[in-house]
Amino acid sequence: MSLYPLKFTPLYKYRIWGGEKLKTVLHKEYQEDSIGESWEISDVKGDETQVSEGSLAGKTLSALIEEFKEAIVGKKVYELFGTEFPLLIKFIDAKTPLSIQVHPSNEIAKERHNSFGKNEMWYVMEAEKDAELIVGFNQRVDKKSYVEALESGKILDVLNNDTVAPGDTYYIPTGRIHAIGAGVLLAEIQQTSDITYRIYDYERVDATTGKTRELHTEQAVDVIDYSVSDTYKTAYTKPENGTNTLVHSPYFKTNIMNVKGEMEKDYSELDSFVIYICAEGSLELVFNNTTYKISKGETVFLPASIDAVSLKSENADVLEVYY
């Protein structure tokens, strides 16, 4: 059986802060209210996405890896992770702010939860006027002053707020305190992990439980990176019909492509799967004389055995993700 570009059926997640933009902006199809996350490509246990079309429809990532091994993910990824897929791709719609949170490192996550850590990145797709992200601290703090700010209800005073616009990109390494603010729709690329330490949640009550959500104050203190940066935003340029670096980390690599007209992509030297996330516009992907249409908010998985594809668009911004 030959491999082809794969689309997966997303999994939709209720969130206390979720809105309607996954439906109204990205044209996702679901009936529930307050859907905050669309898990596009997931191998999280119990939340595995399935191929939506073609001869491999219904198969999960781990089943595909078991069957096709390095042909689907690449030799290096297969040797490192076996049948586990290392990345989780999401769209997130925050109608109200997310909790202030932090993620543990690989080492701590392995020790405490038998899980990967959660290094991640954000690419802003839509942002309402004055919408913000919280990333890092705005002043020098240590463990003692952080705990004092938290206990006195002044934690927001020491956090860095950035007003954001479409295209803004942030890398969130483990240990960096962060939160998505109200009115932001973004793409998130992260390690396969669902481990989050919630630090502060505005004392909100979850309507589905009638209770406030659990905080992880003690666990978080030891994993926070207390350093301060001048800027947390990723600087980049976006050349027309070119590919440029967004975030290259030890856990994933993400580039930005602006497709105008036709673009040929040669992956013969790349030992990895490739994931396309259409962040703006729409495009056509041509492989083996078959055309695959990709709209804003759609995600496509290219198996590692695919060496070349052609991309066509009037004007599309595409995130290119690989290991």
Side-chain angles (χ1 to χ4, degrees):
M1 190 183 291
S2 58
L3 288 165
Y4 56 93
L6 302 171
K7 290 185 179 181
F8 288 79
T9 302
L11 297 171
Y12 302 117
K13 299 290 186 178
Y14 163 84
R15 296 292 184 256
I16 189 174
W17 39 261
E20 293 292 317
K21 286 181 185 167
L22 296 173
K23 186 185 293 182
T24 59
V25 177
L26 301 188
H27 307 294
K28 302 294 179 184
E29 295 180 2
Y30 56 85
Q31 303 304 318
E32 300 85 355
D33 294 325
S34 300
I35 295 298
E37 299 186 8
S38 172
W39 289 23
E40 296 287 300
I41 296 180
S42 169
D43 190 40
V44 173
K45 294 293 173 275
D47 282 308
E48 296 94 343
T49 48
Q50 298 179 354
V51 176
S52 60
E53 46 195 51
S55 57
L56 298 172
K59 289 189 179 287
T60 62
L61 274 164
S62 53
L64 289 169
I65 298 168
E66 205 166 291
E67 184 173 348
F68 295 102
K69 300 180 172 59
E70 61 195 48
I72 192 103
V73 290
K75 188 170 186 286
K76 174 179 63 180
V77 174
Y78 186 67
E79 286 175 351
L80 281 170
F81 301 103
T83 57
E84 293 187 335
F85 188 68
L87 299 184
L88 172 57
I89 309 294
K90 299 177 181 177
F91 294 119
I92 296 179
D93 169 31
K95 184 178 181 180
T96 58
L98 273 69
S99 62
I100 314 295
Q101 53 192 240
V102 71
H103 305 305
S105 66
N106 272 347
E107 295 74 23
I108 292 174
K110 178 74 176 167
E111 179 188 320
R112 294 182 181 175
H113 312 284
N114 195 29
S115 168
F116 291 126
K118 194 173 173 185
N119 290 269
E120 63 188 24
M121 67 162 280
W122 294 334
Y123 180 90
V124 177
M125 296 170 68
E126 304 260 335
E128 294 173 12
K129 188 176 182 296
D130 300 326
E132 294 181 329
L133 296 176
I134 290 174
V135 184
F137 292 101
N138 62 18
Q139 57 191 266
R140 193 169 295 284
V141 296
D142 55 22
K143 194 182 289 191
K144 182 172 180 290
S145 56
Y146 160 79
V147 171
E148 285 172 359
L150 190 63
E151 289 178 346
S152 63
K154 295 180 178 175
I155 186 64
L156 297 175
D157 296 346
V158 301
L159 301 179
N160 172 66
N161 289 263
D162 280 6
T163 303
V164 293
D168 284 351
T169 299
Y170 291 80
Y171 180 49
I172 314 288
T174 58
R176 182 168 292 170
I177 203 165
H178 62 276
I180 301 170
V184 177
L185 173 69
L186 57 74
E188 180 175 276
I189 295 133
Q190 59 159 95
Q191 288 176 277
T192 294
S193 170
D194 207 21
I195 307 297
T196 294
Y197 293 161
R198 201 177 290 122
I199 291 165
Y200 178 74
D201 197 30
Y202 306 94
E203 297 170 13
R204 312 181 259 211
V205 173
D206 186 337
T208 63
T209 64
K211 298 175 181 177
T212 56
R213 297 192 297 171
E214 182 186 2
L215 299 179
H216 309 94
T217 310
E218 296 299 319
Q219 289 169 297
V221 168
D222 292 331
V223 306
I224 292 172
D225 175 1
Y226 292 100
S227 61
V228 180
S229 294
D230 293 335
T231 181
Y232 296 93
K233 188 159 71 170
T234 299
Y236 69 94
T237 56
K238 191 173 64 178
E240 192 174 301
N241 277 346
T243 303
N244 209 2
T245 300
L246 268 186
V247 172
H248 282 199
S249 78
Y251 311 100
F252 54 80
K253 295 174 176 62
T254 302
N255 299 324
I256 181 90
M257 302 188 297
N258 177 239
V259 186
K260 279 188 178 175
E262 191 162 347
M263 223 176 134
E264 302 297 328
K265 294 294 295 185
D266 181 350
Y267 293 116
S268 57
E269 298 299 311
L270 182 68
D271 179 25
S272 174
F273 61 87
V274 175
I275 295 168
Y276 288 155
I277 303 168
C278 187
E280 188 58 57
S282 61
L283 71 156
E284 293 182 342
L285 182 158
V286 182
F287 170 71
N288 259 2
N289 298 317
T290 302
T291 298
Y292 301 83
K293 294 184 184 300
I294 310 172
S295 302
K296 178 175 177 173
E298 282 198 297
T299 305
V300 175
F301 182 103
L302 297 185
S305 60
I306 293 179
D307 285 341
V309 296
S310 177
L311 304 176
K312 300 176 182 178
S313 177
E314 289 183 10
N315 188 7
D317 289 336
V318 182
L319 305 185
E320 176 190 53
V321 183
Y322 52 93
Y323 191 83

